[in-house]
Amino acid sequence: MRPATPLLTIDAISCGHDPANPVIRELSCQVVQGEMVSLLGASGCGKTTVLRAIAGFVPLLAGTILLREERLSAPGFTLAPERRRVGMVFQDYALFPHLTVEENVAFGLKGRPKEEIRTVTRDMLHLVGMESLGRRHPHELSGGQQQRTALARALAPKPALILLDEPFSNLDVDLRERLALEVRQILVSQEMTGILVTHDQHEAFAWGDQVGVLHEGNLRQWDTPFALYHRPVDPFVAGFIGQGTFVAGTCLTPNVMQTPVGLLQGTPQPYRPNPGDPVRVLVRPDDVVPDPDSPIHARVIRRAFKGATTLYTLQLDSGCQLQSLFPSHVDHAIGERVPIRVATDHLVLFANTGPGVTMECVPSAIN
């Protein structure tokens, strides 16, 4: 099967106001037609700068950006944003307050025949469920309705690519999650390609077929949500994605590690240690399971009820703390001692060298 031709190619781009200290450094990725992609990272990591560079608002210091093999940006060259066939939905929606919903949606269609403008505007409002609100002004709309209007306006010119800059961050949690999935489905139904910038992992994973994790201007991993969680490429991604604890240990054999939570066995990745090597093993909450036959006991020091599950923070006699998700009908009180084991089919581990991580268990005397 031949690989899909990329719609968007970002090749080793660097950008920022200071050439000596660029915000983005040599970032490369490809987006395939019809994919939904998330750019995920903390505030200040550069994810919005990447989006603005794709849109044509930020020039490049190095590298190139291609859309269907047409050059959009390169050092000394920036194709005007209105000529890129790229639509953008901003965090604050950027609707024109003096225009109605219909007029906002039609804004990017200027110069086309009036009948075409009316037809496209009507179709877009129907697509986003706003057909009955076309005569209202933005201040008469809820946050979700404003977001739908902004999406309809971005879709109206039929761009090749839609960019969304944290578009749901101003909404309450329930509406944010629901609207994100609705917008994704709308784009999928139109066979569109979308890139979402967000700092919310749940949103990034729900949205993205592929997710790029950015940190301090560098793309640390570009992968599926499953792979980011189960196969992180470095300690930063492992610690940033989801919840977990790094447990320090020693490699006994290539597939067995001695740790404060017992002997952990499985296929190691991405680091493959040799016997005697010090390692750090990532233990996720779903790896820690109750086991009445286990010799390892931990004391409950915190608990957070989450409905179907309860997230427990457990402390071993060595002082090592782990997090565990137990079914909520298994109810343990603060201070209670719980027999546990760590169940691993594969081991996410790294060499135990260099800077540590904030949450780490050190080995105690284990024989």
Side-chain angles (χ1 to χ4, degrees):
M1 186 175 179
R2 295 178 60 188
T5 301
L7 171 72
L8 178 73
T9 300
I10 299 176
D11 184 16
I13 67 169
S14 297
C15 48
H17 297 296
D18 181 5
N21 187 29
V23 176
I24 297 297
R25 292 182 287 275
E26 298 185 357
L27 185 148
S28 297
C29 62
Q30 291 185 333
V31 179
V32 174
Q33 173 69 43
E35 269 189 336
M36 296 297 137
V37 168
S38 303
L39 295 179
L40 172 65
S43 296
C45 70
K47 56 189 183 296
T48 293
T49 301
V50 175
L51 210 68
R52 292 176 62 82
I54 298 170
F57 302 137
V58 174
L60 299 186
L61 298 171
T64 57
I65 299 176
L66 304 176
L67 184 69
R68 292 199 178 114
E69 301 184 357
E70 177 187 0
R71 187 175 65 158
L72 300 184
S73 293
F77 171 79
T78 303
L79 187 68
E82 64 272 15
R83 297 179 56 195
R84 292 186 170 224
R85 294 173 295 145
V86 173
M88 190 158 183
V89 179
F90 297 91
Q91 184 175 4
D92 60 359
Y93 316 139
L95 299 175
F96 299 108
H98 62 289
L99 300 182
T100 65
V101 168
E102 289 178 344
E103 290 167 340
N104 266 282
V105 174
F107 185 82
L109 302 174
K110 288 182 178 180
R112 301 190 185 187
K114 290 184 178 180
E115 185 57 36
E116 179 184 348
I117 293 175
R118 281 194 293 268
T119 300
V120 172
T121 300
R122 182 182 66 246
D123 291 347
M124 289 299 103
L125 290 178
H126 176 74
L127 180 67
V128 300
M130 293 283 291
E131 58 267 43
S132 64
L133 302 175
R135 298 304 178 90
R136 292 191 183 183
H137 286 79
H139 72 274
E140 300 175 288
L141 304 175
S142 69
Q145 290 167 340
Q146 291 183 42
Q147 187 56 266
R148 288 185 175 90
T149 303
L151 178 64
R153 184 180 62 183
L155 287 172
K158 296 191 181 302
L161 178 66
I162 291 286
L163 309 176
L164 302 100
D165 185 10
E166 302 221 36
F168 313 113
S169 60
N170 295 329
L171 306 175
D172 65 73
V173 174
D174 290 340
L175 179 59
R176 182 167 70 228
E177 292 180 357
R178 177 162 51 84
L179 190 58
L181 292 175
E182 288 179 6
V183 170
R184 187 188 195 282
Q185 187 55 44
I186 288 169
L187 296 183
V188 169
S189 71
Q190 299 299 298
E191 298 182 344
M192 289 294 302
T193 306
I195 301 178
L196 171 74
V197 157
T198 180
H199 64 274
D200 186 305
Q201 293 183 31
H202 297 292
E203 191 172 271
F205 282 12
W207 175 278
D209 302 309
Q210 299 284 321
V211 178
V213 177
L214 277 77
H215 178 60
E216 296 181 345
N218 296 301
L219 183 62
R220 304 298 288 261
Q221 188 168 352
W222 178 271
D223 224 320
T224 64
F226 180 91
L228 288 174
Y229 188 84
H230 292 287
R231 295 191 292 271
V233 298
D234 62 33
F236 171 79
V237 176
F240 183 73
I241 296 297
Q243 296 169 303
T245 303
F246 284 99
V247 176
T250 303
C251 175
L252 297 183
T253 72
N255 293 329
V256 179
M257 311 298 142
Q258 184 181 47
T259 77
V261 289
L263 297 179
L264 303 185
Q265 183 171 354
T267 303
Q269 56 185 9
Y271 174 60
R272 296 184 179 276
N274 295 311
D277 286 350
V279 296
R280 287 187 291 175
V281 185
L282 178 66
V283 178
R284 299 282 195 196
D286 48 308
D287 294 328
V288 181
V289 297
D291 183 353
D293 298 322
S294 174
I296 299 174
H297 287 68
R299 183 170 56 89
V300 176
I301 60 173
R302 284 188 297 275
R303 49 176 288 167
F305 185 77
K306 295 181 175 294
T309 59
T310 300
L311 178 66
Y312 290 97
T313 301
L314 307 172
Q315 187 172 55
L316 300 175
D317 293 339
S318 65
C320 172
Q321 292 184 9
L322 302 172
Q323 290 181 309
S324 180
L325 281 171
F326 292 175
S328 61
H329 63 267
V330 179
D331 191 25
H332 296 293
I334 301 293
E336 184 177 348
R337 289 178 63 80
V338 181
I340 61 168
R341 65 181 172 87
V342 176
T344 54
D345 294 324
H346 64 269
L347 297 173
V348 177
L349 55 81
F350 304 93
N352 197 1
T353 57
V357 286
T358 56
M359 196 174 184
E360 181 165 306
C361 292
V362 297
S364 58
I366 300 176
N367 297 316

